[in-house]
């Protein structure tokens, strides 16, 4: 992980998101940083597009790659939210994923039922 010193739960969430992306996509982000503010979590991931996604982007198919990524995140949402719940000791009551390509970032956003447990 790169960036400023993260608190243990923030680093654990970053590591979990990188690991899950590697597991599900076959390739994971090269950088990750997680921010927690009260009961909100933002995980920012950089890198990790697959070779076929890069090829589609080069062909001008940004909308297709975004649509695929967002649909895929919906399919794996249970595993992603379970990891955050396990690491924070809280229930995830809202989850959203987004990706942008120039520059390339993915964002995992979680709303918990309260601030993370100590």
């Amino acid at each position: 992980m790169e960036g400023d010193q993260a608190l243990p739960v923030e680093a654990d969430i970053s590591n979990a998101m990188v690991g899950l992306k590697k597991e599900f996509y076959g390739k994971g982000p090269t950088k990750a940083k997680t921010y927690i503010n009260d009961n909100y979590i933002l995980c920012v991931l950089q890198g990790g597009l697959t070779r076929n996604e890069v090829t589609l982007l080069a062909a001008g198919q940004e909308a297709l790659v975004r649509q695929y990524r967002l649909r895929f995140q919906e399919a794996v949402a249970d595993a992603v939210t379970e990891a955050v719940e396990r690491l924070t000791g809280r229930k995830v009551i809202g989850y959203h994923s987004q990706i942008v390509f120039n520059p390339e970032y993915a964002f995992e956003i979680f709303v918990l039922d309260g601030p993370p447990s100590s």
Side-chain angles (χ1 to χ4, degrees), residues 25-98:
Y25 288 96
K27 182 176 180 183
T30 55
K31 296 180 183 178
K33 178 137 180 155
T34 297
Y35 304 89
I36 299 175
N37 187 2
D38 297 323
N39 61 318
Y40 305 102
I41 297 174
L42 171 66
C43 186
V44 181
L45 306 162
Q46 189 174 1
L49 288 176
T50 63
R51 186 175 290 193
N52 57 344
E53 289 170 328
V54 171
T55 302
L56 285 169
L57 289 171
Q61 296 297 317
E62 186 175 299
L64 179 62
V65 174
R66 179 177 287 108
Q67 180 182 17
Y68 169 77
R69 279 276 175 147
L70 297 180
R71 285 287 170 98
F72 193 81
Q73 281 304 114
E74 290 173 9
V76 299
D78 288 347
V80 173
T81 57
E82 184 281 326
V84 170
E85 289 176 345
R86 178 175 35 81
L87 293 168
T88 62
R90 294 295 187 170
K91 177 132 180 76
V92 172
I93 59 173
Y95 166 62
H96 181 72
S97 182
Q98 188 55 257

